[in-house]
Amino acid sequence: MASDTRTLTARAAEHALTTLALDLRWSWNHATDPLWRQIDPECWDRTRNPWTTLNTASRAHLKMLLGKPAFRRAVTDALAAQAERLHQPTWFGRKHDASPLSCIAYFSMEYMLSEALPIYSGGLGNVAGDQLKAASDLGVPVVAVGLLFAQGYFRQELTSDGRQQALYPFNDPSLLPLSPVLTEEGDVLRIPIHFGQGPIWVRAWKAVVGRATLYLLDTNDPANPPGVRCVTTQLYGGDADLRLRQEITLGIAGWRLLDQLGYQPDVCHLNEGHAAFAAVERARCLMDRLRIPFRQALVIARAGTLFTTHTAVPAGFDRFPPGLIGTYLAHYVEKRLDIPLDTLLALGRADPNDHGEPFNMAWLAIHVSGAVNGVSRLHGAVSRRLFAPLFPRWPEREVPVGHVTNGVHTPTWDSIEADTLWTEAAGSERWRGTQEGLADRIRALDDRTLWTTRCQARAAFIHKVAATYAERQGFSGDVGLASLPVPALSPDVLTLGFARRFATYKRPDLLLHDPDRLARLLSHPEQPMQLVLAGKAHPADLAGQALITRWLAFARRPDVRGRIVFMTDYDMAVAQILVQGVDLWINTPRRPWEASGTSGMKVLVNGGLNLSELDGWWAEAYAPEVGWALGDGREHGEDPAVDTAEAEAMYTLLESEIAPAFYARDGQGIPAAWVGRMRESMARLTPLFSANRVVRDYTDHFYLPAATRYHARLADGGQAAHDIVQWQDRLDTAWPELRIASVTISGPEGQRHVAVALSLGHIPADAVQVQLYADPIDAGPPSVTVIPPGDCRDSDGLTHYTLTTGLDRPAGDYTVRVIPARSGIAIPLESTHITWQR
Ligand SMILES: *Cc1c(COP(=O)(O)O)cnc(C)c1O
């Protein structure tokens, strides 16, 4: 196809380069790398950033290149390939073309797409960025919204005495791979919103991520007061006041932007509670469009909203004093939503009548969503516990939080060596479909192929570590590094990787629990290990920073020289180097505080193995055939004795199982047992913990049902939503009248007769369901059987329900309960009433 295309003119080719450099697909597909290298080899090698390379290259050199037919031909081909890709059939197009799902709006405070767009801190941004890329691969129609931080998250340097320095380089939007969002007339698009009384202007920038689009908002419009201009300066800096204004910008200005640009999303996906105001503003847009009140509009918006929660501790939820909400939102709530401020405040509270309760963004997110999920199986269970206060008297198991375990965008994290291996085994389209048969193709690979690839990747890694290290040494500020020699890691030594945010719950010091024992492991004469570390501690987290200092002091011990490297400024580029090269990835969070964790997933495709606490994703991924586990799968709080025991267990594992497995070589020099684990880990876990699987799960199990429910409520000017509001009001008023008058269970075993009489008061009989309930045995599901209505109301005003059934448990295990029932509405999410037999 490309050969038929006419070669572009110099001017058109220059334009084409701009188009290509603005498509962040280059962050995971390297087909255009040679073009950029030709434009400016030095800048390219240093940044790997096409946009910077294109914009800072010498104009004369570029002009000379554009004068060469061969170069123009290459640009022409690259542009044609891009266009062709956009028209290729996709998984979504094939499977869901006729579905009601046409657009998903995805909201997140941070996105980790490339270090060329440094607007992320860690895991949350990783999930958002990798899902956006997978949505592009699969053709799932996502439009994403975030904030453009002028300084992003802090960058790290280390002083000579091992202290962390936080730096805030400026992100000049014109040097980032973004374009300003303009109106149809070509003017800068301004989104007016209110912080309190004052109107302010929000600007927007567009990032292209393959088929997907990401809009980034910022408040740094010179027309705004200085305090407002700084709202989008730093990610996770500042106080509650700043955080609230960021969340208002993200949610309210974000949804308004989509509306102004003509998007009509069926589904809104809130990646963490930060973005929950988006659903509120979505309701406001519906109010205007349909001329309906806020509550009815919210009932419509809610059906099409999904909330993904990411924290495992209550302290992870953003909470604001009610007064602060009043300061910034009273005007919006009273004038635009046309409701009293208290009505909004109630949406952010567990108990709507407790006026002292702070405004909790996670509670708000629950109250504006039609579905909720955690990010691993274990985290789903933990979240049900955290959200239980919102569903009083419901069993914790039935708190409406499901889970979709996270995954990573495999093409972003694989090494060149791994990419080659997988392409040969499974073809170049392997991450763009359903991944069927992938595991078997990897299982068919022989030991030698796998081991050779692993050794090549390790050698490349060691080279990159030394090069990165040497390059950073050159920067005078980085004296922490400058005072250390360039590390001489060895290509044959078992290589461990350990990198994370230095937050206490991650226990970044567990491996350092007994420094002498660790030193002996590293410098073992026959079975040595080498360790590459990286990590940042939040500038306000002094305890975390002290741990970095401890690690650096350890790294200077003469007996571990050449066996340990601390790489500064843990970012996406450093993470890529690490996960591609290491043999073993170590993760030591305190269960159950790692909601999912993703860094360990990044080593899978590369043939790295995991040694991790049974927490987050590893609690469901671990099996002895694929890696090693720490901990007993239970929770122990912050018990120091448990930390000691787990550290000891980790050293013992490393010493007596892991190192021996790595160094036990067969006649061909291959560690067969190690390679066996690699093969099974790659085959079984890579597809499962991929963003490809995640995005397909979200699409099939959340987005599609949400879109259907949303359209049902939107139809006829929102009639169904109007009826739901009336139904909810009626239940709220009349529920206290409901009484379970009598329950009898009679008859022989296997033929039990259950009879229930209810006094319904003013509740319509079809608004409730009567159930026979028994608590779960072990971890199984509870037993829930519907008891259908029998006779209508009899002369005593009672309604009767009867059931004849074989119960498989003793009658005493069962209890009767009554819950709201209505088709097309989520119970207990949208009506939390429940009455139990006493
Ligand atoms: C993957 C990644 C994370 C998230 O890792 P976890 O420790 O598993 O939460 C954080 N930061 C960077 C730079 C990453 O690449």
Side-chain angles (χ1 to χ4, degrees):
M1 159 302 323
S3 55
D4 307 333
T5 322
R6 296 247 300 280
T7 303
L8 296 171
T9 62
R11 173 177 257 225
E14 190 169 2
H15 188 71
L17 285 172
T18 303
T19 305
L20 292 168
L22 283 173
D23 183 348
L24 286 163
R25 189 170 190 274
W26 51 253
S27 66
W28 74 91
N29 183 291
H30 299 283
T32 53
D33 287 7
L35 273 182
W36 311 117
R37 178 173 280 111
Q38 280 189 69
I39 291 172
D40 184 342
E42 197 188 335
C43 179
W44 171 253
D45 285 340
R46 188 180 267 227
T47 65
R48 299 286 163 138
N49 179 335
W51 186 245
T52 305
T53 304
L54 183 64
N55 284 289
T56 55
S58 131
R59 294 295 101 186
H61 181 64
L62 191 59
K63 200 164 168 222
M64 183 278 290
L65 279 176
L66 288 167
K68 290 186 176 180
F71 183 79
R72 290 206 309 276
R73 168 98 258 153
V75 176
T76 307
D77 289 349
L79 191 72
Q82 185 199 47
E84 191 196 302
R85 235 178 6 252
L86 291 176
H87 292 108
Q88 268 169 8
T90 62
W91 169 80
F92 185 86
R94 280 192 291 260
K95 189 164 176 209
H96 296 303
D97 201 25
S99 79
L101 181 61
S102 64
C103 177
I104 301 115
Y106 188 96
F107 282 75
S108 178
M109 191 68 131
E110 48 166 315
Y111 290 86
M112 182 197 282
L113 289 160
S114 159
E115 65 281 5
L117 195 53
I119 53 167
Y120 60 86
S121 154
L124 187 72
N126 180 207
V127 164
D130 278 13
Q131 281 176 26
L132 197 54
K133 291 172 180 175
S136 166
D137 291 343
L138 293 164
V140 178
V142 173
V143 55
V145 180
L147 297 181
L148 177 62
F149 296 99
Q151 297 178 331
Y153 196 58
F154 81 97
R155 308 294 299 268
Q156 179 192 53
E157 281 191 354
L158 302 166
T159 65
S160 56
D161 51 352
R163 279 175 304 117
Q164 170 178 287
Q165 299 276 83
L167 304 174
Y168 294 90
F170 180 65
N171 289 331
D172 179 346
S174 68
L175 298 179
L176 298 174
L178 301 172
S179 43
V181 177
L182 305 176
T183 64
E184 274 174 19
E185 291 78 41
D187 304 330
V188 170
L189 183 79
R190 287 191 169 121
I191 309 135
I193 62 165
H194 276 74
F195 285 159
Q197 290 295 322
I200 62 146
W201 282 344
V202 180
R203 311 184 295 184
W205 307 84
K206 177 179 169 175
V208 178
V209 185
R211 287 186 182 83
T213 302
L214 166 63
Y215 290 103
L216 296 170
L217 303 165
D218 88 332
T219 55
N220 191 19
D221 190 312
N224 288 330
V228 171
R229 292 184 63 182
C230 293
V231 165
T232 51
T233 301
Q234 285 178 16
L235 169 62
Y236 305 141
D239 54 8
D241 188 290
L242 181 72
R243 181 68 75 89
L244 177 59
R245 286 186 289 164
Q246 290 184 337
E247 294 183 2
I248 291 171
T249 307
L250 175 63
I252 296 180
W255 191 275
R256 207 166 285 178
L257 168 78
L258 295 182
D259 194 57
Q260 259 176 262
L261 293 176
Y263 286 94
Q264 298 204 348
D266 322 289
V267 174
C268 171
H269 188 166
L270 306 173
N271 190 44
E272 192 52 293
H274 307 137
F277 291 126
V280 175
E281 174 64 9
R282 183 185 194 186
R284 194 204 56 79
C285 290
L286 286 167
M287 286 172 70
D288 282 7
R289 206 166 108 204
L290 303 176
R291 313 236 158 263
I292 53 174
F294 175 71
R295 242 192 87 202
Q296 187 185 349
L298 185 61
V299 165
I300 303 173
R302 177 172 199 178
T305 303
L306 167 66
F307 167 39
T308 300
T309 174
H310 287 264
T311 181
V313 286
F317 298 140
D318 278 337
R319 268 178 242 159
F320 300 111
L324 200 60
I325 301 288
T327 303
Y328 289 115
L329 286 170
H331 179 274
Y332 170 77
V333 172
E334 286 157 8
K335 296 279 185 304
R336 308 300 298 270
L337 304 183
D338 201 19
I339 53 171
L341 183 63
D342 266 342
T343 306
L344 179 80
L345 288 171
L347 290 173
R349 288 177 170 145
D351 175 0
N353 300 316
D354 177 357
H355 292 271
E357 207 186 303
F359 187 85
N360 180 318
M361 291 302 284
W363 294 174
L364 174 67
I366 294 253
H367 289 140
V368 300
S369 294
V372 184
N373 75 287
V375 289
S376 69
R377 191 166 62 209
L378 179 61
H379 181 242
V382 169
S383 300
R384 288 191 282 278
R385 195 160 75 216
L386 296 183
F387 292 133
L390 275 64
F391 303 92
R393 295 180 303 284
W394 281 84
E396 194 177 292
R397 279 202 56 105
E398 292 175 82
V399 169
V401 183
H403 75 272
V404 174
T405 304
N406 281 338
V408 294
H409 183 246
T410 321
T412 292
W413 300 103
D414 60 359
S415 64
I416 293 171
E417 296 80 11
D419 183 33
T420 309
L421 179 84
W422 284 78
T423 305
E424 277 165 16
S428 60
E429 296 297 305
R430 63 192 178 281
W431 310 126
R432 278 173 236 154
T434 58
Q435 306 186 123
E436 234 167 290
L438 209 50
D440 289 337
R441 288 166 183 253
I442 295 303
R443 285 198 185 99
L445 292 172
D446 63 46
D447 283 7
R448 168 152 303 284
T449 307
L450 285 167
W451 186 241
T452 309
T453 306
R454 180 90 286 278
C455 292
Q456 284 165 351
R458 190 187 316 104
F461 161 73
I462 282 161
H463 181 74
K464 279 187 217 160
V465 170
T468 308
Y469 207 83
E471 188 186 296
R472 292 189 180 188
Q473 259 189 357
F475 304 135
S476 57
D478 228 352
V479 278
L481 282 177
S483 62
L484 284 173
V486 174
L489 296 176
S490 155
D492 308 318
V493 168
L494 170 58
T495 304
L496 320 180
F498 182 83
R500 57 210 10 100
R501 283 181 299 118
F502 272 54
T504 336
Y505 81 85
K506 300 254 192 191
R507 293 191 296 186
D509 55 340
L510 196 73
L511 192 55
L512 199 54
H513 192 83
D514 181 345
D516 292 333
R517 187 154 177 203
L518 178 61
R520 284 199 300 278
L521 283 175
L522 295 176
S523 57
H524 191 286
E526 284 97 44
Q527 302 186 337
M529 300 177 199
Q530 53 198 7
L531 174 61
V532 183
L533 292 156
K536 301 196 218 175
H538 189 279
D541 177 8
L542 299 179
Q545 289 172 47
L547 296 179
I548 293 179
T549 307
R550 266 190 74 200
W551 267 113
L552 289 165
F554 178 78
R556 281 159 205 265
R557 281 172 59 144
D559 54 345
V560 295
R561 169 131 313 162
R563 292 273 183 259
I564 178 164
V565 178
F566 192 106
M567 294 182 76
T568 47
D569 200 26
Y570 180 41
D571 67 354
M572 218 183 145
V574 169
Q576 278 167 328
I577 294 175
L578 282 169
V579 300
Q580 292 172 4
V582 303
D583 298 299
L584 186 73
W585 190 255
I586 298 181
N587 192 16
T588 54
R590 183 170 275 135
R591 181 174 160 128
W593 293 351
E594 178 97 297
S596 163
T598 49
S599 56
M601 301 174 185
K602 298 170 191 167
V603 306
L604 299 171
V605 67
N606 296 302
L609 297 177
N610 279 276
L611 161 61
S612 174
E613 179 75 24
L614 286 172
D615 193 11
W617 78 284
W618 193 239
E620 64 199 82
Y622 167 72
E625 311 88 84
V626 295
W628 292 275
L630 289 173
D632 56 8
R634 299 216 308 263
E635 282 138 44
H636 299 281
E638 298 184 47
D639 184 351
V642 173
D643 289 351
T644 303
E646 289 193 4
E648 298 293 331
M650 175 162 52
Y651 295 133
T652 305
L653 259 180
L654 284 166
E655 190 169 32
S656 54
E657 278 194 42
I658 295 174
F662 184 87
Y663 287 106
R665 304 298 162 92
D666 65 14
Q668 300 178 45
I670 295 173
W674 186 279
V675 173
R677 272 202 176 81
M678 269 176 56
R679 180 186 291 110
E680 194 53 26
S681 164
M682 292 168 82
R684 190 192 298 183
L685 303 184
T686 310
L688 211 49
F689 296 96
S690 66
N692 169 305
R693 190 269 306 153
V694 172
V695 171
R696 286 185 293 113
D697 273 1
Y698 275 121
T699 303
D700 292 341
H701 304 309
F702 288 92
Y703 298 160
L704 279 162
T708 305
R709 282 195 305 265
Y710 169 73
H711 286 292
R713 291 186 187 184
L714 185 64
D716 302 327
Q719 185 57 44
H722 177 264
D723 297 346
I724 290 172
V725 169
Q726 287 205 323
W727 178 86
Q728 284 173 326
D729 281 348
R730 190 157 181 191
L731 282 196
D732 290 352
T733 317
W735 197 268
E737 299 170 19
L738 189 147
R739 266 188 324 108
I740 300 178
S742 68
V743 175
T744 54
I745 301 184
S746 57
E749 212 169 306
Q751 265 291 60
R752 297 290 197 186
H753 184 69
V754 184
V756 180
L758 288 191
S759 172
L760 282 166
H762 289 89
I763 303 174
D766 65 357
V768 300
Q769 189 175 75
V770 181
Q771 299 177 336
L772 191 61
Y773 172 93
D775 274 328
I777 304 174
D778 302 326
S783 156
V784 177
T785 314
V786 176
I787 310 177
D791 310 332
C792 297
R793 267 163 223 240
D794 69 10
S795 51
D796 344 328
L798 297 179
T799 310
H800 294 272
Y801 297 77
T802 54
L803 175 73
T804 302
T805 177
L807 301 177
D808 40 12
R809 290 167 57 185
D813 281 10
Y814 292 90
T815 180
V816 167
R817 67 183 192 180
V818 185
I819 63 167
R822 185 184 172 95
S823 77
I825 141 159
I827 301 295
L829 199 57
E830 295 185 275
S831 187
T832 62
H833 300 292
I834 187 164
T835 295
W836 294 86
Q837 172 191 358
R838 266 191 251 268

